[in-house]
């Protein structure tokens, strides 16, 4: 197995070279997660300083039990888990830094946007999925149509300039899959960097998944929502800069909120648009 | 004889109606985005990094995804994930939406048989269960 | 002068979204103000290709400077300022670089298919007289100094009120008025041979 060419260009890697264990020659990286049917494999994406790796724990596997492997051998790493997206961040402590692709600020919104996998596989965005059957997703996923087979979970998908736009997460059919938009990865990395965990934000307002419009049903006493002036019957229009059209859009927008970070919301109240600033708290465990 | 200041003003005001040809700004936008992409590539040599990253990945060897157990597991997952039902809206709103005038809801009536479930994580297996009824955020 | 610092910018929404990375919101801003800025730049430079390139540069600058735009003025005022400054800088460089003769520019203006005169005149005779006058006016515009051409473009051609011009150019309203006054006088004398 030939070594990757990046080893000749340390200048391009932001991190300081670690005093690497000589035995570790980065060649074949993956992550595994224990599940009932065995070990589930995930691709990994190096991020940040080249010693953090993002992987995806397949549903039904234990994310906390994830292991980072190089050449089939486990690499010592701290494991951080976002239980909602099932993204896992490994912080490897004893390896050389590896080349890090750039991350886009956000995934493209529209359809027909071409993406590529590292092995050359190609696909095209095909809209968003917010609900599968009767189940509303906790965050919206990109739909991808691939020219070949859908890649395994954890595979990064980049735009034409090599910036990661999404991470493949589920296979939905032949040549079709769902992917986590890159802003989810950023959200997770943010949480891990700042607090060592991805803390869920809590506002103290309730919505009904059955309703046609995202209308506040109830405001919890002495909550961030009540303190900010959110009222029952307010219809949510925009949350933290994200336009909200239905219940699922609101759920998606809430995912990106962070405890103690104030955001602007827009609601419709008595026919008028009202702007509200709200500072979420951390969701109680 | 000189034109008056007013006549000059009128002549100049006629120029207000001058505008570029049809489709000028459509092409302009396409070009605008192309230049932004070129800037990105030039600025950070990103294409280079992706290529290096890709060859790093392909250094994983021919059998990179063919861990026997892994592939079977993924295959099982593929069969279990449902396709989204028809008619589900595309995604975040592209254009401003006019909501019907919402009448204040007195008390949320408990649904008889609320079918919609809110998943707490991205577990799309048929066996996955979400929460029903009012959701607090 | 009423304090309108509390008036919300009608572009607030689009600007916020553009700042958050929504490229379509920025596209919408380009489409909204593109024609106005095209008018400004074209009447200052009298050159079709230069106008296109300048417009690209202006919107590029606005795009990259958006994070620093804090609503200290309306978005329109802000981008208009960028447009005026970049155009004036360009004209300075052009003078030095090419010593472009007026006749080169004339050609661009006279037969320019890029400019469609939206005011349909019923009388063809009158129309050709008008065309002739417009030609002379375009030439006369190019003879104005940049500061004079700028205020004439903004006030007479684009219909911007004195106060707004003052805000964009960061000069007093009095200066705007006097520049306009002298610019008009100059244009009047330049056109006197062609007036009946």
């Amino acid at each position: 197995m030939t070594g990757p060419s990046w080893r000749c260009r340390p200048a391009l890697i932001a991190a300081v070279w670690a005093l690497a264990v000589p035995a570790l020659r980065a060649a074949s990286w993956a992550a595994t997660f224990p599940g009932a049917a065995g070990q589930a494999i995930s691709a990994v994406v190096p991020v940040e300083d080249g010693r953090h790796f993002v992987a995806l724990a397949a549903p039904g596997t234990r994310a906390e039990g994830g292991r980072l492997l190089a050449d089939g051998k486990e690499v010592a790493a701290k494991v951080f888990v976002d239980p909602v997206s099932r993204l896992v961040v490994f912080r490897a402590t004893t390896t050389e830094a590896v080349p890090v692709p750039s991350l886009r600020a956000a995934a493209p919104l529209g359809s027909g946007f071409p993406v590529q996998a590292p092995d050359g596989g190609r696909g095209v965005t095909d809209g968003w999925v917010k609900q599968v059957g009767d189940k509303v997703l906790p965050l919206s996923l990109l739909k991808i149509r691939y020219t070949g087979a859908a890649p395994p979970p954890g595979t990064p998908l980049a735009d034409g300039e090599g910036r990661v736009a999404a991470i493949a997460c589920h296979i939905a059919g032949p040549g079709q899959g769902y992917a986590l938009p890159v802003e989810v990865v950023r959200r997770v990395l943010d949480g891990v960097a700042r607090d060592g965990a991805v803390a869920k934000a809590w506002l103290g307002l309730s919505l009904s998944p059955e309703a046609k419009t995202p209308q506040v049903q109830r405001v919890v006493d002495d909550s961030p929502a009540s303190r900010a002036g959110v009222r029952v019957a307010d219809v949510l229009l925009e949350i933290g800069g994200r336009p909200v059209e239905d219940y699922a859009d609101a759920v998606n927008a809430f995912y990106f909120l962070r405890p103690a970070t104030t955001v602007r919301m827009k609601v419709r109240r008595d026919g008028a648009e009202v702007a509200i600033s709200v500072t979420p708290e951390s969701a109680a465990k | 004889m000189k034109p008056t200041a007013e006549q000059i003003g009128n002549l100049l005001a006629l120029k207000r109606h001058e505008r570029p040809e049809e489709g000028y700004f459509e092409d302009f936008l396409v070009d605008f985005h192309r230049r932004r992409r070129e800037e990105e590539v030039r600025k950070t040599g990103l294409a280079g990094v992706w290529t290096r990253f890709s060859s790093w990945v392909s250094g994983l060897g021919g059998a990179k995804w063919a861990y026997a157990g892994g592939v079977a597991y993924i295959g099982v997952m593929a069969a279990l994930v449902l396709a989204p039902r028809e008619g589900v809206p595309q995604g975040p709103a592209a254009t401003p939406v006019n909501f019907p005038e919402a009448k204040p809801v007195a008390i949320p009536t408990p649904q008889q048989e609320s079918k919609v479930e809110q998943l707490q994580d991205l577990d799309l297996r048929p066996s996955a269960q979400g929460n029903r009824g009012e959701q607090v955020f | 002068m009423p304090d309108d610092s509390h008036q919300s910018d009608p572009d607030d929404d689009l600007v916020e979204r553009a700042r958050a990375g929504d490229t379509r919101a920025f596209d919408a801003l380009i489409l909204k103000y593109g024609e106005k800025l095209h008018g400004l730049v074209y009447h200052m430079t009298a050159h079709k290709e230069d106008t296109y390139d300048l417009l690209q540069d202006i919107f590029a600058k606005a795009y990259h400077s958006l994070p620093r735009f804090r609503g200290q003025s309306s978005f329109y005022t802000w981008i208009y300022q960028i447009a005026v400054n970049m155009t004036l800088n360009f004209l300075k460089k052009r003078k030095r670089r090419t010593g472009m003769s007026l006749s080169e520019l004339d050609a661009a203006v006279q037969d320019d298919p890029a400019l469609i005169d939206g005011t349909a005149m019923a009388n063809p005779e009158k129309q050709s007289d008008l065309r002739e006058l417009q030609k002379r006016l375009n030439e006369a515009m190019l003879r104005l100094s940049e500061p004079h051409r700028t205020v004439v473009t903004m006030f007479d051609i684009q219909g911007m009120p004195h106060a707004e011009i003052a805000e964009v150019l960061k000069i007093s309203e009095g200066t705007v008025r006097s520049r306009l006054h002298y610019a008009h006088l100059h244009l009047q004398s330049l056109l006197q041979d062609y007036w009946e």
Side-chain angles (χ1 to χ4, degrees), chain C residues 3-116:
Chain C
D3 173 26
D4 59 356
S5 56
H6 294 298
Q7 270 178 21
S8 65
D9 185 356
D11 295 320
D12 243 353
D13 225 7
L14 286 173
V15 172
E16 283 300 313
R17 280 167 51 195
R19 259 218 281 261
D22 184 351
T23 52
R24 277 170 329 178
F26 196 81
D27 285 356
L29 289 166
I30 292 179
L31 291 175
K32 187 171 181 186
Y33 294 122
E35 266 182 32
K36 258 284 153 65
L37 294 181
H38 178 277
L40 165 72
V41 177
Y42 187 78
H43 289 114
M44 291 296 293
T45 63
H47 194 276
K48 182 180 161 197
E49 280 77 31
D50 286 342
T51 299
Y52 183 87
D53 289 334
L54 259 176
L55 273 180
Q56 284 287 349
D57 290 339
I58 289 163
F59 282 112
K61 181 121 202 259
Y63 181 78
H64 292 302
S65 308
L66 206 55
R68 288 192 296 279
F69 171 65
R70 297 238 173 277
Q72 55 273 32
S73 66
S74 74
F75 175 82
Y76 181 52
T77 302
W78 178 71
I79 198 172
Y80 207 98
Q81 269 166 342
I82 293 176
V84 170
N85 293 334
M86 290 191 80
T87 305
L88 291 176
N89 284 339
F90 167 79
L91 287 173
K92 256 190 251 167
K93 285 198 203 129
R94 182 168 81 178
K95 254 196 198 151
R96 274 187 262 128
R97 182 179 17 114
T98 64
M100 224 171 194
S101 70
L102 271 182
S103 54
E104 282 172 46
L105 294 169
D106 286 348
V109 169
Q110 284 170 17
D111 307 313
D112 204 310
L115 288 188
I116 303 165

Side-chain angles (χ1 to χ4, degrees), chain A residues 70-120:
Chain A
D71 274 334
K73 285 205 290 211
E74 183 168 358
V75 171
K78 195 157 191 299
V79 178
F80 302 89
V81 174
D82 173 29
V84 178
S85 64
R86 303 194 61 84
L87 275 177
V88 174
V89 181
F90 293 95
R91 179 181 288 157
T93 43
T94 56
T95 83
E96 296 171 349
V98 307
V100 168
S102 276
L103 304 182
R104 283 173 62 105
L109 284 172
S111 297
F113 195 88
V115 294
Q116 50 175 327
D119 65 353

Side-chain angles (χ1 to χ4, degrees), chain A residues 177-255:
Chain A
Y178 305 144
L180 285 163
V182 66
E183 47 264 48
V184 175
V185 178
R186 285 181 169 278
R187 167 76 181 91
V188 171
L189 290 174
D190 237 2
V192 168
R194 289 201 324 175
D195 320 304
V198 186
K200 258 174 104 158
W202 184 80
L203 295 172
L205 60 83
S206 80
L207 301 174
S208 163
E210 303 273 352
K212 288 275 173 281
T213 60
Q215 188 175 33
V216 178
Q217 305 285 296
R218 193 165 60 86
V219 178
V220 177
D221 283 339
D222 197 31
S223 65
S226 80
R227 285 192 291 272
V230 176
R231 297 190 205 156
V232 171
D234 282 351
V235 174
L236 306 180
L237 298 177
E238 194 183 282
I239 300 164
R242 287 184 157 78
V244 163
E245 207 180 26
D246 58 18
Y247 166 79
D249 286 341
V251 176
N252 181 66
F254 289 140
Y255 172 79

Side-chain angles (χ1 to χ4, degrees), chain B residues 46-106:
Chain B
L46 282 169
V49 175
W50 180 257
T51 316
R52 264 189 289 288
F53 170 66
S54 302
S55 48
W56 171 78
V57 168
S58 48
L60 302 187
K64 50 187 183 291
W65 303 130
Y67 299 89
V71 167
Y73 195 89
I74 290 166
V76 164
M77 296 306 303
L80 292 180
V81 172
L82 299 168
R85 76 174 169 201
E86 305 242 318
V88 170
Q90 273 288 314
T95 51
V97 175
N98 284 319
F99 289 105
E101 278 309 298
K103 301 189 186 58
V105 174

Side-chain angles (χ1 to χ4, degrees), chain A residues 114-123 155-163, chain B residues 50 54:
Chain A
V115 294
Q116 50 175 327
D119 65 353
R122 290 182 180 277
T155 303
L157 302 170
D159 61 16
E161 280 75 53
R163 294 176 304 170
Chain B
W50 180 257
S54 302

Side-chain angles (χ1 to χ4, degrees), chain A residues 142-160:
Chain A
L142 267 173
K143 285 195 287 186
I144 312 281
R145 267 184 300 114
Y146 298 98
T147 46
T155 303
L157 302 170
D159 61 16

